[in-house]
Amino acid sequence: QGCTQKYIVKNYFYYYLFKFSAALGEEIFYITFLPFTYWNIDHSVSRRMIIVWSIVMYIGQVSKDILKWPRPLSPPVVKLEMRTNAEYGMPSTHAMAATAISFSFFTATMNQYKYPFELGLVAAFVFSTLVCLSRLYTGMHTVLDVIGGALISAVLLVLLYPAWDTIDHLLLTSPFCPFFSIVVPLFLCYNYPKLDYYSPTRGDTTTILGAAAGATVGFWLNNQYAAAAYTGKSVQPGLPVLTSTGVFVLARFLVGILVVLLTRWAMKSVVLGMLGYRYKFPMGDLAARRRLEVEVPYKFVTYSSVGFTATVLVPLLHRLLGLM
């Protein structure tokens, strides 16, 4: 579906603010902020955020395709995004992700770092609110979609919080962790609710679960063969405050994100090439890439490689380059 409405931007501050805020609930934010937290702030915080994010997003995506509530009609609203327009609306997964990431980060850091409780709470609230409002501004969700997404995410956070330490300990120490981290997400992806038409929700869900699976295997491997991760303090430096530390933080991020993006590009090319050879289709065939037998392995292998690279290979490269 294409947007046939023309519009005039009358307030560029709101326009760019909410376009930017909408991007905080998309892949470009996940692939930068979550690894940045792991490389530069705290391993335990990053692990908890990834666990919460993957669970919340899976439930949100599946709920959309079970409830099948339509997005706002256009007209009267003007839709500023087209990629997700084929998805259903309720709940808003942008609202769910923003609530989950901001408040899980706040909850995981408030007892480990010294900063005003009120400041952290306000920052989490402002972050999630901006993303929620961006979904209304861009015409992609109703108020009910956004409120529903934020509430569902909040409830899931409350339910998961008492089990955080137990889940984290099992993911780091259980010998069955690598097996279940791969098999369970793959099972969920291949058994995703079927729709009468193609929607990007299955592909996005596979991307999220694949990245979380690769990262989880990386967490386990690091704990078994590298520096122990199950400690009260991170093996990374604390929040950067000095200029010299800031330089190392920036260097770690730039090196890491370059390796992650190269991994994504290389694995996407290799996996699509192999699947294209297996199922006899050219790499540019979009319809073929949307088939279950292609989309799930292509996205799962690609993004599990990204998650594994971010948690295992990039830290090793940081050590080799003297950036630790």
Side-chain angles (χ1 to χ4, degrees), residues 68-128:
K68 297 183 179 181
W69 287 20
R71 289 185 182 270
L73 293 176
S74 176
V77 305
V78 176
K79 295 187 177 180
L80 305 185
E81 297 177 12
M82 283 295 104
R83 180 188 174 276
T84 58
N85 195 38
E87 298 180 5
Y88 290 108
M90 177 68 173
S92 166
T93 46
H94 273 71
M96 293 184 72
T99 303
I101 288 177
S102 59
F103 282 94
S104 61
F105 181 83
F106 166 62
T107 306
T109 58
M110 64 181 182
N111 293 323
Q112 296 195 47
Y113 297 98
K114 294 181 179 180
Y115 62 82
F117 175 87
E118 295 79 6
L119 178 63
L121 184 62
V122 169
F125 180 78
V126 169
F127 179 92
S128 56

Tab-separated table of all heavy atoms in Angstrom, residues 68-128:
chain	number	residue	atom	x	y	z
A	68	LYS	N	-5.675	-8.778	15.265
A	68	LYS	CA	-5.998	-8.275	13.921
A	68	LYS	C	-6.805	-6.981	13.961
A	68	LYS	O	-7.761	-6.799	13.207
A	68	LYS	CB	-6.747	-9.346	13.121
A	68	LYS	CG	-5.923	-10.599	12.872
A	68	LYS	CD	-6.663	-11.608	12.023
A	68	LYS	CE	-5.791	-12.835	11.774
A	68	LYS	NZ	-6.470	-13.852	10.929
A	69	TRP	N	-6.407	-6.058	14.842
A	69	TRP	CA	-7.037	-4.733	14.873
A	69	TRP	C	-6.372	-3.867	13.810
A	69	TRP	O	-5.138	-3.771	13.769
A	69	TRP	CB	-6.858	-4.086	16.240
A	69	TRP	CG	-7.718	-4.698	17.305
A	69	TRP	CD1	-8.300	-5.932	17.285
A	69	TRP	CD2	-8.064	-4.110	18.546
A	69	TRP	NE1	-8.987	-6.157	18.445
A	69	TRP	CE2	-8.866	-5.045	19.247
A	69	TRP	CE3	-7.786	-2.890	19.161
A	69	TRP	CZ2	-9.389	-4.799	20.504
A	69	TRP	CZ3	-8.300	-2.638	20.416
A	69	TRP	CH2	-9.092	-3.577	21.081
A	70	PRO	N	-7.149	-3.208	12.958
A	70	PRO	CA	-6.556	-2.409	11.877
A	70	PRO	C	-5.873	-1.154	12.394
A	70	PRO	O	-6.174	-0.659	13.481
A	70	PRO	CB	-7.762	-2.050	11.004
A	70	PRO	CG	-8.923	-2.084	11.951
A	70	PRO	CD	-8.619	-3.178	12.930
A	71	ARG	N	-4.956	-0.656	11.587
A	71	ARG	CA	-4.334	0.631	11.873
A	71	ARG	C	-5.314	1.755	11.543
A	71	ARG	O	-6.338	1.526	10.900
A	71	ARG	CB	-3.047	0.784	11.067
A	71	ARG	CG	-1.917	-0.123	11.545
A	71	ARG	CD	-0.650	0.176	10.776
A	71	ARG	NE	0.435	-0.707	11.189
A	71	ARG	CZ	1.294	-0.450	12.168
A	71	ARG	NH1	1.189	0.677	12.842
A	71	ARG	NH2	2.256	-1.296	12.474
A	72	PRO	N	-5.004	2.990	11.950
A	72	PRO	CA	-5.896	4.119	11.647
A	72	PRO	C	-6.110	4.276	10.141
A	72	PRO	O	-5.202	4.031	9.348
A	72	PRO	CB	-5.149	5.329	12.225
A	72	PRO	CG	-4.244	4.766	13.257
A	72	PRO	CD	-3.853	3.412	12.768
A	73	LEU	N	-7.316	4.650	9.748
A	73	LEU	CA	-7.636	4.839	8.338
A	73	LEU	C	-6.974	6.105	7.796
A	73	LEU	O	-6.874	7.118	8.482
A	73	LEU	CB	-9.151	4.936	8.158
A	73	LEU	CG	-9.949	3.664	8.464
A	73	LEU	CD1	-11.437	3.928	8.330
A	73	LEU	CD2	-9.515	2.512	7.568
A	74	SER	N	-6.540	6.013	6.548
A	74	SER	CA	-5.907	7.161	5.900
A	74	SER	C	-6.546	7.394	4.526
A	74	SER	O	-6.374	6.562	3.624
A	74	SER	CB	-4.414	6.903	5.730
A	74	SER	OG	-3.785	7.950	5.032
A	75	PRO	N	-7.312	8.511	4.357
A	75	PRO	CA	-7.626	9.539	5.349
A	75	PRO	C	-8.619	9.014	6.397
A	75	PRO	O	-9.179	7.955	6.185
A	75	PRO	CB	-8.223	10.658	4.497
A	75	PRO	CG	-8.818	9.950	3.315
A	75	PRO	CD	-7.926	8.768	3.047
A	76	PRO	N	-8.771	9.698	7.548
A	76	PRO	CA	-8.400	11.090	7.794
A	76	PRO	C	-6.946	11.310	8.220
A	76	PRO	O	-6.441	12.402	8.070
A	76	PRO	CB	-9.351	11.506	8.904
A	76	PRO	CG	-9.597	10.244	9.666
A	76	PRO	CD	-9.618	9.156	8.633
A	77	VAL	N	-6.260	10.280	8.792
A	77	VAL	CA	-4.887	10.535	9.239
A	77	VAL	C	-3.952	10.518	8.040
A	77	VAL	O	-4.256	9.926	6.992
A	77	VAL	CB	-4.421	9.496	10.282
A	77	VAL	CG1	-5.361	9.430	11.461
A	77	VAL	CG2	-4.263	8.122	9.639
A	78	VAL	N	-2.814	11.159	8.188
A	78	VAL	CA	-1.753	11.115	7.188
A	78	VAL	C	-0.662	10.208	7.719
A	78	VAL	O	-0.141	10.436	8.817
A	78	VAL	CB	-1.187	12.520	6.912
A	78	VAL	CG1	-0.018	12.440	5.929
A	78	VAL	CG2	-2.269	13.427	6.371
A	79	LYS	N	-0.316	9.169	6.977
A	79	LYS	CA	0.695	8.219	7.429
A	79	LYS	C	2.055	8.612	6.875
A	79	LYS	O	2.236	8.719	5.663
A	79	LYS	CB	0.315	6.807	6.999
A	79	LYS	CG	-0.972	6.322	7.665
A	79	LYS	CD	-1.257	4.873	7.380
A	79	LYS	CE	-2.514	4.422	8.139
A	79	LYS	NZ	-2.837	3.005	7.901
A	80	LEU	N	2.997	8.811	7.780
A	80	LEU	CA	4.339	9.237	7.397
A	80	LEU	C	5.292	8.061	7.225
A	80	LEU	O	6.457	8.265	6.893
A	80	LEU	CB	4.904	10.204	8.446
A	80	LEU	CG	4.044	11.434	8.755
A	80	LEU	CD1	4.786	12.357	9.713
A	80	LEU	CD2	3.671	12.183	7.490
A	81	GLU	N	4.824	6.845	7.477
A	81	GLU	CA	5.637	5.647	7.291
A	81	GLU	C	4.845	4.650	6.471
A	81	GLU	O	3.625	4.592	6.566
A	81	GLU	CB	5.996	5.010	8.643
A	81	GLU	CG	6.846	5.883	9.535
A	81	GLU	CD	7.105	5.216	10.877
A	81	GLU	OE1	6.824	4.007	11.004
A	81	GLU	OE2	7.563	5.902	11.792
A	82	MET	N	5.549	3.847	5.676
A	82	MET	CA	4.856	2.867	4.849
A	82	MET	C	5.277	1.428	5.126
A	82	MET	O	4.525	0.511	4.886
A	82	MET	CB	5.089	3.178	3.368
A	82	MET	CG	4.252	4.341	2.859
A	82	MET	SD	2.466	3.961	2.908
A	82	MET	CE	1.958	4.921	4.340
A	83	ARG	N	6.503	1.240	5.639
A	83	ARG	CA	7.004	-0.127	5.775
A	83	ARG	C	6.105	-0.992	6.654
A	83	ARG	O	5.823	-2.136	6.334
A	83	ARG	CB	8.436	-0.116	6.353
A	83	ARG	CG	9.015	-1.514	6.529
A	83	ARG	CD	10.331	-1.527	7.262
A	83	ARG	NE	10.761	-2.891	7.507
A	83	ARG	CZ	10.350	-3.622	8.537
A	83	ARG	NH1	9.499	-3.103	9.408
A	83	ARG	NH2	10.772	-4.858	8.695
A	84	THR	N	5.672	-0.459	7.792
A	84	THR	CA	4.883	-1.255	8.739
A	84	THR	C	3.385	-1.097	8.531
A	84	THR	O	2.601	-1.590	9.331
A	84	THR	CB	5.231	-0.859	10.187
A	84	THR	OG1	4.974	0.550	10.363
A	84	THR	CG2	6.684	-1.151	10.491
A	85	ASN	N	2.978	-0.439	7.448
A	85	ASN	CA	1.551	-0.189	7.255
A	85	ASN	C	0.771	-1.479	7.032
A	85	ASN	O	-0.435	-1.532	7.291
A	85	ASN	CB	1.343	0.767	6.070
A	85	ASN	CG	-0.056	1.352	6.051
A	85	ASN	OD1	-0.619	1.668	7.100
A	85	ASN	ND2	-0.628	1.472	4.863
A	86	ALA	N	1.443	-2.524	6.528
A	86	ALA	CA	0.762	-3.797	6.289
A	86	ALA	C	0.499	-4.564	7.582
A	86	ALA	O	-0.276	-5.517	7.589
A	86	ALA	CB	1.587	-4.658	5.334
A	87	GLU	N	1.138	-4.163	8.676
A	87	GLU	CA	0.907	-4.824	9.956
A	87	GLU	C	-0.392	-4.346	10.584
A	87	GLU	O	-0.901	-3.282	10.254
A	87	GLU	CB	2.058	-4.514	10.925
A	87	GLU	CG	3.416	-4.993	10.482
A	87	GLU	CD	4.485	-4.636	11.497
A	87	GLU	OE1	4.134	-4.107	12.571
A	87	GLU	OE2	5.669	-4.884	11.222
A	88	TYR	N	-0.897	-5.150	11.496
A	88	TYR	CA	-2.030	-4.715	12.315
A	88	TYR	C	-1.531	-3.742	13.380
A	88	TYR	O	-0.329	-3.570	13.576
A	88	TYR	CB	-2.719	-5.919	12.944
A	88	TYR	CG	-3.473	-6.763	11.934
A	88	TYR	CD1	-3.003	-8.015	11.547
A	88	TYR	CD2	-4.660	-6.291	11.373
A	88	TYR	CE1	-3.687	-8.781	10.616
A	88	TYR	CE2	-5.358	-7.054	10.446
A	88	TYR	CZ	-4.864	-8.294	10.067
A	88	TYR	OH	-5.547	-9.052	9.142
A	89	GLY	N	-2.484	-3.114	14.081
A	89	GLY	CA	-2.122	-2.005	14.947
A	89	GLY	C	-2.004	-2.298	16.423
A	89	GLY	O	-1.140	-1.747	17.092
A	90	MET	N	-2.818	-3.158	16.952
A	90	MET	CA	-2.899	-3.348	18.408
A	90	MET	C	-2.156	-4.605	18.833
A	90	MET	O	-2.460	-5.695	18.336
A	90	MET	CB	-4.360	-3.445	18.829
A	90	MET	CG	-4.580	-3.704	20.295
A	90	MET	SD	-4.060	-2.274	21.272
A	90	MET	CE	-4.618	-2.768	22.911
A	91	PRO	N	-1.184	-4.498	19.730
A	91	PRO	CA	-0.672	-3.301	20.406
A	91	PRO	C	0.465	-2.662	19.613
A	91	PRO	O	1.011	-3.291	18.708
A	91	PRO	CB	-0.159	-3.861	21.732
A	91	PRO	CG	0.337	-5.232	21.353
A	91	PRO	CD	-0.604	-5.737	20.283
A	92	SER	N	0.822	-1.441	19.980
A	92	SER	CA	1.961	-0.779	19.352
A	92	SER	C	3.248	-1.389	19.893
A	92	SER	O	3.562	-1.258	21.079
A	92	SER	CB	1.937	0.723	19.650
A	92	SER	OG	3.180	1.311	19.321
A	93	THR	N	4.002	-2.074	19.010
A	93	THR	CA	5.257	-2.684	19.472
A	93	THR	C	6.345	-1.630	19.668
A	93	THR	O	7.308	-1.870	20.395
A	93	THR	CB	5.728	-3.769	18.485
A	93	THR	OG1	5.630	-3.283	17.144
A	93	THR	CG2	4.874	-5.023	18.620
A	94	HIS	N	6.210	-0.474	19.008
A	94	HIS	CA	7.118	0.630	19.309
A	94	HIS	C	6.954	1.056	20.774
A	94	HIS	O	7.929	1.256	21.500
A	94	HIS	CB	6.827	1.832	18.403
A	94	HIS	CG	7.549	1.805	17.095
A	94	HIS	ND1	7.222	0.925	16.094
A	94	HIS	CD2	8.579	2.561	16.615
A	94	HIS	CE1	8.016	1.129	15.050
A	94	HIS	NE2	8.856	2.112	15.345
A	95	ALA	N	5.690	1.191	21.192
A	95	ALA	CA	5.422	1.570	22.581
A	95	ALA	C	5.908	0.492	23.537
A	95	ALA	O	6.464	0.790	24.603
A	95	ALA	CB	3.926	1.818	22.776
A	96	MET	N	5.723	-0.771	23.160
A	96	MET	CA	6.161	-1.875	24.013
A	96	MET	C	7.679	-1.894	24.146
A	96	MET	O	8.216	-2.040	25.247
A	96	MET	CB	5.657	-3.200	23.443
A	96	MET	CG	4.147	-3.369	23.487
A	96	MET	SD	3.596	-4.988	22.908
A	96	MET	CE	4.135	-6.034	24.265
A	97	ALA	N	8.378	-1.752	23.010
A	97	ALA	CA	9.842	-1.792	23.041
A	97	ALA	C	10.417	-0.624	23.820
A	97	ALA	O	11.341	-0.791	24.625
A	97	ALA	CB	10.383	-1.798	21.612
A	98	ALA	N	9.859	0.574	23.594
A	98	ALA	CA	10.370	1.762	24.282
A	98	ALA	C	10.177	1.641	25.787
A	98	ALA	O	11.075	1.972	26.573
A	98	ALA	CB	9.666	3.008	23.756
A	99	THR	N	9.015	1.165	26.202
A	99	THR	CA	8.742	0.988	27.629
A	99	THR	C	9.658	-0.078	28.227
A	99	THR	O	10.234	0.110	29.305
A	99	THR	CB	7.269	0.599	27.849
A	99	THR	OG1	6.426	1.596	27.268
A	99	THR	CG2	6.951	0.466	29.324
A	100	ALA	N	9.799	-1.193	27.509
A	100	ALA	CA	10.623	-2.297	28.016
A	100	ALA	C	12.088	-1.900	28.138
A	100	ALA	O	12.724	-2.143	29.172
A	100	ALA	CB	10.477	-3.508	27.093
A	101	ILE	N	12.639	-1.285	27.101
A	101	ILE	CA	14.062	-0.954	27.101
A	101	ILE	C	14.380	0.142	28.114
A	101	ILE	O	15.327	0.037	28.903
A	101	ILE	CB	14.512	-0.547	25.688
A	101	ILE	CG1	14.549	-1.781	24.786
A	101	ILE	CG2	15.888	0.110	25.728
A	101	ILE	CD1	14.901	-1.485	23.347
A	102	SER	N	13.580	1.212	28.124
A	102	SER	CA	13.889	2.334	29.010
A	102	SER	C	13.751	1.955	30.476
A	102	SER	O	14.628	2.272	31.298
A	102	SER	CB	12.998	3.531	28.680
A	102	SER	OG	11.630	3.208	28.808
A	103	PHE	N	12.679	1.265	30.821
A	103	PHE	CA	12.463	0.947	32.232
A	103	PHE	C	13.277	-0.257	32.691
A	103	PHE	O	13.625	-0.342	33.879
A	103	PHE	CB	10.969	0.746	32.508
A	103	PHE	CG	10.216	2.044	32.620
A	103	PHE	CD1	9.579	2.598	31.526
A	103	PHE	CD2	10.183	2.743	33.823
A	103	PHE	CE1	8.910	3.809	31.615
A	103	PHE	CE2	9.511	3.952	33.934
A	103	PHE	CZ	8.876	4.489	32.823
A	104	SER	N	13.620	-1.177	31.802
A	104	SER	CA	14.518	-2.265	32.209
A	104	SER	C	15.935	-1.717	32.419
A	104	SER	O	16.648	-2.143	33.325
A	104	SER	CB	14.520	-3.393	31.178
A	104	SER	OG	14.977	-2.949	29.925
A	105	PHE	N	16.348	-0.758	31.583
A	105	PHE	CA	17.647	-0.114	31.783
A	105	PHE	C	17.664	0.628	33.119
A	105	PHE	O	18.633	0.511	33.886
A	105	PHE	CB	17.925	0.861	30.637
A	105	PHE	CG	19.256	1.555	30.739
A	105	PHE	CD1	20.414	0.943	30.288
A	105	PHE	CD2	19.353	2.822	31.292
A	105	PHE	CE1	21.651	1.577	30.386
A	105	PHE	CE2	20.578	3.468	31.391
A	105	PHE	CZ	21.722	2.839	30.947
A	106	PHE	N	16.606	1.363	33.398
A	106	PHE	CA	16.514	2.109	34.659
A	106	PHE	C	16.518	1.162	35.856
A	106	PHE	O	17.265	1.362	36.828
A	106	PHE	CB	15.236	2.955	34.647
A	106	PHE	CG	14.855	3.504	35.988
A	106	PHE	CD1	15.683	4.375	36.683
A	106	PHE	CD2	13.642	3.154	36.579
A	106	PHE	CE1	15.331	4.890	37.927
A	106	PHE	CE2	13.274	3.655	37.811
A	106	PHE	CZ	14.122	4.515	38.494
A	107	THR	N	15.729	0.116	35.778
A	107	THR	CA	15.625	-0.832	36.894
A	107	THR	C	16.933	-1.578	37.128
A	107	THR	O	17.315	-1.825	38.277
A	107	THR	CB	14.498	-1.844	36.624
A	107	THR	OG1	13.284	-1.138	36.339
A	107	THR	CG2	14.268	-2.744	37.826
A	108	ALA	N	17.626	-1.926	36.029
A	108	ALA	CA	18.862	-2.697	36.154
A	108	ALA	C	20.038	-1.854	36.635
A	108	ALA	O	20.993	-2.396	37.195
A	108	ALA	CB	19.206	-3.351	34.821
A	109	THR	N	19.982	-0.532	36.417
A	109	THR	CA	21.125	0.313	36.785
A	109	THR	C	20.944	1.068	38.093
A	109	THR	O	21.938	1.516	38.674
A	109	THR	CB	21.408	1.351	35.686
A	109	THR	OG1	20.225	2.148	35.468
A	109	THR	CG2	21.808	0.678	34.389
A	110	MET	N	19.720	1.201	38.571
A	110	MET	CA	19.497	2.093	39.715
A	110	MET	C	20.204	1.607	40.980
A	110	MET	O	20.544	2.417	41.849
A	110	MET	CB	17.996	2.260	39.983
A	110	MET	CG	17.267	1.019	40.399
A	110	MET	SD	15.504	1.352	40.655
A	110	MET	CE	14.911	-0.266	41.189
A	111	ASN	N	20.437	0.291	41.095
A	111	ASN	CA	21.124	-0.222	42.278
A	111	ASN	C	22.623	-0.421	42.062
A	111	ASN	O	23.339	-0.764	42.998
A	111	ASN	CB	20.496	-1.546	42.715
A	111	ASN	CG	19.074	-1.368	43.221
A	111	ASN	OD1	18.768	-0.369	43.870
A	111	ASN	ND2	18.204	-2.325	42.917
A	112	GLN	N	23.098	-0.213	40.829
A	112	GLN	CA	24.515	-0.430	40.531
A	112	GLN	C	25.288	0.862	40.343
A	112	GLN	O	26.509	0.884	40.504
A	112	GLN	CB	24.656	-1.289	39.268
A	112	GLN	CG	24.097	-2.703	39.415
A	112	GLN	CD	24.590	-3.607	38.304
A	112	GLN	OE1	25.773	-3.633	37.983
A	112	GLN	NE2	23.675	-4.363	37.701
A	113	TYR	N	24.596	1.926	39.965
A	113	TYR	CA	25.262	3.188	39.718
A	113	TYR	C	24.613	4.288	40.549
A	113	TYR	O	23.405	4.254	40.800
A	113	TYR	CB	25.202	3.558	38.221
A	113	TYR	CG	25.927	2.571	37.357
A	113	TYR	CD1	25.231	1.567	36.691
A	113	TYR	CD2	27.313	2.635	37.213
A	113	TYR	CE1	25.898	0.650	35.898
A	113	TYR	CE2	27.992	1.726	36.423
A	113	TYR	CZ	27.281	0.733	35.772
A	113	TYR	OH	27.949	-0.176	34.999
A	114	LYS	N	25.421	5.232	40.938
A	114	LYS	CA	24.923	6.321	41.776
A	114	LYS	C	24.424	7.469	40.903
A	114	LYS	O	25.220	8.188	40.288
A	114	LYS	CB	26.029	6.813	42.717
A	114	LYS	CG	26.446	5.787	43.755
A	114	LYS	CD	27.527	6.343	44.683
A	114	LYS	CE	27.925	5.331	45.745
A	114	LYS	NZ	28.977	5.858	46.647
A	115	TYR	N	23.131	7.600	40.829
A	115	TYR	CA	22.511	8.740	40.166
A	115	TYR	C	21.148	8.949	40.812
A	115	TYR	O	20.571	8.013	41.400
A	115	TYR	CB	22.393	8.530	38.658
A	115	TYR	CG	21.530	7.361	38.231
A	115	TYR	CD1	20.140	7.465	38.153
A	115	TYR	CD2	22.107	6.139	37.870
A	115	TYR	CE1	19.364	6.402	37.738
A	115	TYR	CE2	21.336	5.066	37.469
A	115	TYR	CZ	19.959	5.202	37.393
A	115	TYR	OH	19.185	4.142	36.995
A	116	PRO	N	20.595	10.153	40.736
A	116	PRO	CA	19.302	10.413	41.385
A	116	PRO	C	18.197	9.512	40.837
A	116	PRO	O	18.023	9.410	39.618
A	116	PRO	CB	19.036	11.886	41.046
A	116	PRO	CG	20.378	12.464	40.759
A	116	PRO	CD	21.176	11.362	40.132
A	117	PHE	N	17.495	8.866	41.737
A	117	PHE	CA	16.395	7.979	41.345
A	117	PHE	C	15.386	8.715	40.469
A	117	PHE	O	14.919	8.191	39.446
A	117	PHE	CB	15.715	7.432	42.601
A	117	PHE	CG	14.493	6.594	42.311
A	117	PHE	CD1	14.614	5.245	42.055
A	117	PHE	CD2	13.219	7.166	42.315
A	117	PHE	CE1	13.484	4.470	41.786
A	117	PHE	CE2	12.095	6.405	42.053
A	117	PHE	CZ	12.230	5.056	41.785
A	118	GLU	N	15.058	9.949	40.869
A	118	GLU	CA	14.058	10.725	40.130
A	118	GLU	C	14.520	11.010	38.708
A	118	GLU	O	13.723	10.994	37.769
A	118	GLU	CB	13.762	12.038	40.854
A	118	GLU	CG	13.116	11.885	42.224
A	118	GLU	CD	14.119	11.516	43.313
A	118	GLU	OE1	15.340	11.500	43.002
A	118	GLU	OE2	13.683	11.237	44.447
A	119	LEU	N	15.831	11.276	38.542
A	119	LEU	CA	16.370	11.557	37.218
A	119	LEU	C	16.225	10.348	36.297
A	119	LEU	O	15.820	10.476	35.134
A	119	LEU	CB	17.838	11.957	37.330
A	119	LEU	CG	18.567	12.234	36.005
A	119	LEU	CD1	17.928	13.416	35.288
A	119	LEU	CD2	20.050	12.491	36.256
A	120	GLY	N	16.567	9.176	36.815
A	120	GLY	CA	16.438	7.961	36.021
A	120	GLY	C	15.001	7.672	35.647
A	120	GLY	O	14.695	7.275	34.511
A	121	LEU	N	14.096	7.868	36.601
A	121	LEU	CA	12.674	7.614	36.345
A	121	LEU	C	12.135	8.566	35.290
A	121	LEU	O	11.412	8.148	34.372
A	121	LEU	CB	11.890	7.764	37.649
A	121	LEU	CG	10.392	7.444	37.595
A	121	LEU	CD1	10.175	5.989	37.205
A	121	LEU	CD2	9.742	7.726	38.952
A	122	VAL	N	12.488	9.834	35.410
A	122	VAL	CA	12.027	10.832	34.435
A	122	VAL	C	12.601	10.531	33.046
A	122	VAL	O	11.890	10.628	32.039
A	122	VAL	CB	12.417	12.250	34.892
A	122	VAL	CG1	12.189	13.263	33.771
A	122	VAL	CG2	11.618	12.649	36.122
A	123	ALA	N	13.872	10.158	32.984
A	123	ALA	CA	14.496	9.854	31.696
A	123	ALA	C	13.795	8.673	31.013
A	123	ALA	O	13.527	8.714	29.801
A	123	ALA	CB	15.976	9.544	31.890
A	124	ALA	N	13.493	7.617	31.780
A	124	ALA	CA	12.793	6.462	31.216
A	124	ALA	C	11.398	6.854	30.742
A	124	ALA	O	10.944	6.434	29.668
A	124	ALA	CB	12.708	5.338	32.251
A	125	PHE	N	10.719	7.669	31.533
A	125	PHE	CA	9.364	8.103	31.182
A	125	PHE	C	9.380	8.983	29.927
A	125	PHE	O	8.545	8.797	29.027
A	125	PHE	CB	8.747	8.867	32.348
A	125	PHE	CG	7.347	9.350	32.087
A	125	PHE	CD1	6.280	8.479	32.172
A	125	PHE	CD2	7.114	10.665	31.735
A	125	PHE	CE1	4.985	8.924	31.908
A	125	PHE	CE2	5.838	11.123	31.479
A	125	PHE	CZ	4.763	10.248	31.568
A	126	VAL	N	10.329	9.907	29.848
A	126	VAL	CA	10.410	10.800	28.684
A	126	VAL	C	10.734	10.005	27.416
A	126	VAL	O	10.129	10.218	26.360
A	126	VAL	CB	11.475	11.894	28.917
A	126	VAL	CG1	11.768	12.658	27.628
A	126	VAL	CG2	11.002	12.856	30.006
A	127	PHE	N	11.675	9.074	27.527
A	127	PHE	CA	12.056	8.251	26.370
A	127	PHE	C	10.850	7.489	25.835
A	127	PHE	O	10.537	7.545	24.637
A	127	PHE	CB	13.168	7.279	26.766
A	127	PHE	CG	13.607	6.364	25.654
A	127	PHE	CD1	14.656	6.723	24.822
A	127	PHE	CD2	12.979	5.153	25.446
A	127	PHE	CE1	15.066	5.891	23.795
A	127	PHE	CE2	13.373	4.309	24.412
A	127	PHE	CZ	14.429	4.680	23.591
A	128	SER	N	10.178	6.765	26.717
A	128	SER	CA	9.032	5.960	26.275
A	128	SER	C	7.892	6.835	25.781
A	128	SER	O	7.211	6.489	24.804
A	128	SER	CB	8.561	5.044	27.410
A	128	SER	OG	8.245	5.782	28.568
